[in-house]
Amino acid sequence: MKDTELYAALLHLRHPWRVTKVKVDIAAKRIDVWIEHAPDTKWLCPECHKQAPLYDHSEEREWRHLDTCDCQTFVHTRPPRVNCKDHGVKQIGPTWANPGSHYTMKFESHVIDTLKECDVTGTTRLTGTSWDEAWGIMEKAVKRGQFRKELRIPQRLSIDEKAFAKRHRYETLVCDLDRGTVEYVVDDREQASLEKYYSQFTPEERAGVKAVAMDMWDPYIAATKVFIKEAADKIVFDKFHIVRCVTEAVDKVRRAEAKQLANRGDESLKGTRHLWLANENNVPEWRKPEFDAIRKMNLKTGRAWAIKEALRKLWGYSYPARAEAFFSRWYFWATHSRLKPIIAAARTIKRHLPNVLTYFKHRITNALAEGLNSKIQMVKEMACGFRNREHYKTAIYFHCGGLDLYPRREQSEPC
Ligand SMILES: [Zn+2]
């Protein structure tokens, strides 16, 4: 088999395209392949798809293709131009790449696959691309995916805030709980942030929303009440955020008490922070004896912890009336604990109780899309290499957006 035939087969070239020359440079680990069309080819105008005569050829162009063995491989051609009687002179794009791209679609897809498996720096090493090239492919893939995606509002939403970098900067993430995808990422966690998302849809479309899981965060509540009809029945305050509110109160009690004890030379609470913050089942086996022993010491922190752990039972009820009765007992206990942070947390939850109890109607939490949260966490960890917020958002959409990312030949798409 001749090298030109071999490459025509490897590149899946079909009439009218054929390989006319192959240049191998082993020292440079590089292979160049020249492609031309048959001289008697009948061309169609790319606009109207009617037959049009060949006009001339554009400058030679080069595309990076999948490597051959260990050699970077490039294909070259001079794209033909036709002269349509209605549309004038038009270039015929090659079938292996999108207009304007420096890569064949196969190579671009390979980089996308690699980006899905590791971070941008890892991708540059595995594919022999620069950071800007690999990043450019990711950005383009996200644009393409968003262009293709149908604009629709999910029936069951989750609204969550994620800290971006340090210094208390936040992004608001809107997720589709049924598909497990991030639908929208917007700066900050203000009312206006979430309203930007809702306002993309008509009132009829928004009426299709059945339930929204979120934290007890006033700006999100306000935005949802403005845009979603009967929001009072649809908002569900998320279980994990509610428990976290009490967990933070436990931590305040612990800090104050640890200080008091330390002043008396008692270091019982030293190094125990994580034990009180974890839920009971997550205390590591080897620390259980130690934890059991401090809990028997009748400390304020121990009482606060027991109140926090008891609250978790709320979500185990099947009937809302029973859950509500349980909450009343819990609330009495918490508010009579003489632990100020616990009393404050209990009052916050009580104030939001109707939409804590909507859980028993909709049974959603922010964590329903379980795999999604760990993916977002992974993107956040990789985000240390990102130079700005827009990069972070792009990476979230790329990994968690459920987008159709791969290049295809479609005339109407951006490239
Ligand atoms: Zn035409």
Side-chain angles (χ1 to χ4, degrees):
M1 196 181 219
K2 288 208 296 207
D3 55 2
T4 49
E5 287 168 11
L6 174 67
Y7 271 91
L10 289 176
L11 296 168
H12 301 284
L13 288 186
R14 279 190 309 219
H15 182 80
W17 301 102
R18 59 193 183 179
V19 175
T20 52
K21 187 169 95 178
V22 177
K23 192 176 138 207
V24 181
D25 185 340
I26 295 294
K29 289 190 168 182
R30 177 177 171 124
I31 294 174
D32 288 274
V33 181
W34 279 267
I35 295 171
E36 281 180 19
H37 62 81
D40 56 348
T41 307
K42 302 249 184 301
W43 300 103
L44 302 178
C45 163
E47 299 277 325
C48 60
H49 305 287
K50 286 185 196 148
Q51 207 166 319
L54 181 68
Y55 180 72
D56 66 356
H57 292 86
S58 311
E59 289 282 290
E60 181 176 301
R61 291 196 45 206
E62 172 188 297
W63 295 265
R64 169 107 189 254
H65 189 56
L66 297 172
D67 292 359
T68 311
C69 298
D70 211 9
C71 298
Q72 290 196 0
T73 302
F74 296 83
V75 300
H76 302 251
T77 198
R78 292 184 60 190
R81 299 203 300 169
V82 294
N83 192 1
C84 170
K85 63 179 178 355
D86 296 321
H87 298 98
V89 176
K90 292 276 162 193
Q91 183 177 297
I92 307 286
T95 51
W96 52 83
N98 269 319
S101 175
H102 300 295
Y103 320 103
T104 67
M105 285 187 272
K106 291 239 174 177
F107 180 74
E108 214 171 322
S109 300
H110 171 61
V111 174
I112 291 169
D113 283 337
T114 314
L115 283 164
K116 282 186 169 179
E117 301 294 331
C118 59
D119 64 4
V120 179
T121 311
T123 301
T124 62
R125 281 199 292 267
L126 291 168
T127 60
T129 47
S130 68
W131 201 95
D132 286 339
E133 284 172 334
W135 180 258
I137 288 174
M138 185 192 269
E139 250 179 352
K140 221 160 81 175
V142 167
K143 268 193 203 143
R144 185 187 292 133
Q146 286 177 325
F147 180 84
R148 288 174 183 164
K149 186 173 176 160
E150 176 200 359
L151 184 66
R152 49 170 277 286
I153 189 162
Q155 291 189 344
R156 304 196 304 158
L157 288 168
S158 138
I159 319 289
D160 212 346
E161 85 285 346
K162 299 278 174 200
F164 168 72
K166 282 162 196 145
R167 288 171 298 175
H168 298 285
R169 291 164 75 194
Y170 288 91
E171 299 290 336
T172 296
L173 267 62
V174 180
C175 303
D176 180 337
L177 281 174
D178 295 302
R179 293 195 186 183
T181 50
V182 174
E183 294 291 298
Y184 198 69
V185 188
V186 59
D187 289 347
D188 308 317
R189 45 173 185 166
E190 308 301 326
Q191 182 171 342
S193 319
L194 183 52
E195 289 187 345
K196 265 188 211 154
Y197 174 70
Y198 286 140
S199 60
Q200 302 177 95
F201 303 98
T202 64
E204 292 73 39
E205 287 167 331
R206 294 196 300 263
V209 173
K210 291 187 174 146
V212 189
M214 63 170 78
D215 188 9
M216 299 175 288
W217 178 247
D218 289 336
Y220 291 166
I221 300 168
T224 304
K225 284 189 172 162
V226 172
F227 280 89
I228 305 293
K229 244 186 171 175
E230 294 159 18
D233 291 331
K234 296 177 177 174
I235 293 173
V236 179
F237 294 129
D238 174 51
K239 169 182 171 180
F240 298 94
H241 284 94
I242 294 166
V243 172
R244 193 173 73 188
C245 160
V246 187
T247 305
E248 282 165 6
V250 174
D251 202 40
K252 280 184 193 158
V253 173
R254 179 197 59 82
R255 280 206 303 269
E257 193 172 33
K259 218 187 234 172
Q260 279 175 1
L261 292 180
N263 286 342
R264 287 188 264 139
D266 179 343
E267 301 223 307
S268 308
L269 281 173
K270 207 178 166 196
T272 62
R273 176 164 188 260
H274 291 287
L275 299 175
W276 305 109
L277 302 189
N279 78 44
E280 193 168 9
N281 306 326
N282 292 347
V283 172
E285 204 55 47
W286 64 279
R287 295 198 73 176
K288 276 191 177 146
E290 172 197 359
F291 192 45
D292 288 343
I294 345 172
R295 269 160 53 203
K296 284 187 188 124
M297 287 170 63
N298 202 18
L299 296 171
K300 287 179 188 164
T301 311
R303 276 197 289 132
W305 176 87
I307 292 169
K308 183 247 305 182
E309 284 302 300
L311 182 62
R312 289 181 196 283
K313 294 195 188 97
L314 178 70
W315 289 273
Y317 281 90
S318 302
Y319 301 102
R322 295 224 171 133
E324 197 170 355
F326 169 84
F327 182 83
S328 298
R329 294 195 298 278
W330 180 86
Y331 183 75
F332 183 86
W333 182 22
T335 47
H336 288 75
S337 64
R338 283 170 286 121
L339 303 167
K340 271 190 189 156
I342 293 289
I343 295 168
R347 286 192 178 141
T348 301
I349 299 169
K350 168 96 169 176
R351 226 177 21 253
H352 293 91
L353 190 63
N355 292 93
V356 175
L357 297 174
T358 44
Y359 172 81
F360 296 96
K361 183 174 169 200
H362 300 293
R363 301 216 168 247
I364 57 169
T365 72
N366 282 129
L368 201 68
E370 198 56 72
L372 185 62
N373 271 327
S374 53
K375 256 196 201 168
I376 293 169
Q377 192 52 37
M378 176 198 80
V379 176
K380 274 180 71 175
E381 279 159 21
M382 297 196 302
C384 47
F386 296 152
R387 295 171 213 159
N388 59 42
R389 280 183 160 195
E390 293 311 309
H391 284 188
Y392 174 63
K393 282 187 216 166
T394 299
I396 293 269
Y397 285 127
F398 181 85
H399 290 282
C400 313
L403 299 173
D404 176 6
L405 299 166
Y406 293 93
R408 284 194 299 271
R409 282 286 286 166
E410 282 171 45
Q411 292 294 343
S412 59
E413 294 201 343
C415 42

